[in-house]
Amino acid sequence: MTTLRTAAQLCEHGYVPSERQQAIEKVSARYAVALPESLADLIDRNDPNDPIARQFIPNVAELDHKPEERSDPIGDDAHSPVEGIVHRYPDRVLLKLTHICAVYCRFCFRREMVGPDKPVGLSPAALVAAFAYIRSHHRIWEVILTGGDPLILSPRRLRAVMKSLAAIGHVKVVRIHTKMPVAEPDRVTTDLVRAIKIKSKPTYVAVHVNHPRELTAPAREACARLADAGIPLLSQTVLVAGVNDTADVMDELMRALVECRIKTYYLHHGDLAPGTAHLRTDVAAGQELMRRLRGRASGLCQPTYVLDIPGGHGKSPIGPSYVTQCGSGAQAVVEDFNGVEHRYPVR
Ligand code: SF4
């Protein structure tokens, strides 16, 4: 598997015109670049608005940092008691095992923290301290493995992590967030699937997919290997301008996910990551998209549209709301999927 990592390689393979190489070099000096062959092959080099290229090919607009953007947009650092752990909510923690990804998304909310210049994984000492933290906090019910992409680690290392989590009685659920099934589907081997499955507690896998074209035949097979092993699959999608911000694309994506046995879970509003303004939509546009999706697709295809509140205050669902008016009287006004309003008794 070839991965393109430099502006020169992107030019050589026709993904960036040679006159833009110097400008793209400035971007790649600032933010990590990796484009694996499996995703590169999906790009139509003749389409200046190709949705796959827009997600993964660096753009000079990334050097335009807006005042409202933050290096740590969702406030991980404010909730990190020990290296590798983010403890924002009482019943769950993030365990950031690595800062490496198979592909670097141009809108990444952790773009200041991920990249090949960072350590591949937590050091053995940091991992011991992270497990000690989880062990000593009895309210932690769920551990979410994230990064970077945790499935970049070898099955041997993942097996060791899962074994340690299996031994902690109060941890009942492990969730893994990954883009690997679409970025490098061949890495989701049966060995890796076995490594992440714990007999004593459920492992959920949340797969990051933003455009239906990413669900290629090999990607679907990788998801099937996980689902066939009894691992429940969830989706996480980032709303990206020019990629999936139309009802047609979002409808196709959500249906394709469900067809792959992936329950649609989160649609993330774009975070205020530096240099990503050109990839963000406004909240009203996201709400309108959700409203249109509700009107045309099965309930299985309805993710929750969420925003991570800057500063580390967590996720909130951001609508749209279908209760359009709640007066002081006994009736609420509820809107149906066609936009028609109905009265409903408040109690
Ligand atoms: S896979 Fe996730 S962590 Fe890695 S670059 Fe993309 S959004 Fe960021």
Side-chain angles (χ1 to χ4, degrees), residues 62-74:
E62 292 172 50
L63 298 175
D64 179 13
H65 294 179
K66 303 291 183 198
E68 67 274 21
E69 293 175 338
R70 301 168 176 225
S71 58
D72 178 18
I74 71 167

Side-chain angles (χ1 to χ4, degrees), residues 113-128:
M113 302 155 204
V114 298
D117 53 330
K118 313 285 189 308
V120 174
L122 281 180
S123 69
L127 205 50
V128 166

Side-chain angles (χ1 to χ4, degrees), residues 276-317:
T276 62
H278 61 297
L279 298 171
R280 289 196 296 272
T281 61
D282 58 56
V283 171
Q287 290 174 327
E288 180 54 26
L289 185 63
M290 287 299 298
R291 195 178 287 280
R292 293 189 63 192
L293 191 64
R294 172 71 59 185
R296 57 195 275 176
S298 154
L300 284 173
C301 303
Q302 306 291 330
T304 304
Y305 180 36
V306 292
L307 173 82
D308 262 288
I309 302 170
H313 302 287
K315 279 183 189 58
S316 284

Side-chain angles (χ1 to χ4, degrees), residues 28 43 52 59 82 86 140 151 160 177 185-186 199 202 206 209 243 277 302 309 323 326 333:
S28 62
I43 294 173
I52 308 299
N59 186 313
V82 296
V86 178
I140 297 173
L151 296 194
H177 281 232
D186 293 348
K199 281 207 182 89
V209 192
V243 172
Q302 306 291 330
I309 302 170
V323 181
C326 237
V333 177

Side-chain angles (χ1 to χ4, degrees), residues 101 103-105 107-111 114 147-149 179 208:
C101 298
V103 61
Y104 291 105
C105 312
F107 47 83
C108 177
F109 65 125
R110 294 202 179 111
R111 59 188 337 213
V114 298
D149 195 321
K179 197 169 176 68
H208 175 186

Side-chain angles (χ1 to χ4, degrees), residues 137-164:
H137 287 76
H138 294 257
R139 288 181 71 192
I140 297 173
W141 173 83
E142 180 186 25
V143 175
I144 300 164
L145 305 185
T146 183
D149 195 321
L151 296 194
I152 201 97
L153 299 178
S154 68
R156 181 184 61 79
R157 292 181 76 178
L158 286 166
R159 198 172 282 115
V161 168
M162 299 305 273
K163 202 173 156 195
S164 298

